[in-house]
Amino acid sequence: MSATDASKEIPQLILEALKQGDKNRGELFDLIGEGYPVLVPALQKLKDKKLIESYFAPTETVSVLTYRLHSGG
């Protein structure tokens, strides 16, 4: 996939994945198959457009940065 294709397709893949439920970066990485240098800017662009939001989900040891579709609230 070319960089141009990836820049258009990755945000859509992220949105589709988040329709199924909240995901952290590792889960999105596994689902989308692109490295963090592609994934992280796509996540930030979606956040800037207020299409998604992030929060820290607590686990037994640390809180994990997690993404969900924007709640609109």
Side-chain angles (χ1 to χ4, degrees):
M1 173 181 328
S2 74
T4 305
D5 291 341
S7 67
K8 292 178 185 174
E9 204 170 297
I10 298 304
Q12 189 59 40
L13 291 172
I14 292 169
L15 292 172
E16 289 297 319
L18 294 177
K19 286 179 185 177
Q20 308 303 316
D22 299 1
K23 305 272 186 285
N24 63 45
R25 283 184 183 177
E27 292 167 327
L28 290 167
F29 173 85
D30 290 344
L31 286 169
I32 293 167
E34 290 288 339
Y36 289 110
V38 173
L39 183 61
V40 172
L43 288 165
Q44 188 59 51
K45 285 180 184 177
L46 290 170
K47 282 183 67 174
D48 291 347
K49 292 179 180 179
K50 302 214 182 305
L51 296 173
I52 66 172
E53 56 194 18
S54 61
Y55 65 98
F56 285 96
T59 67
E60 290 182 23
T61 55
V62 296
S63 295
V64 177
L65 184 61
T66 304
Y67 297 88
R68 63 181 165 214
L69 294 176
H70 193 271
S71 61

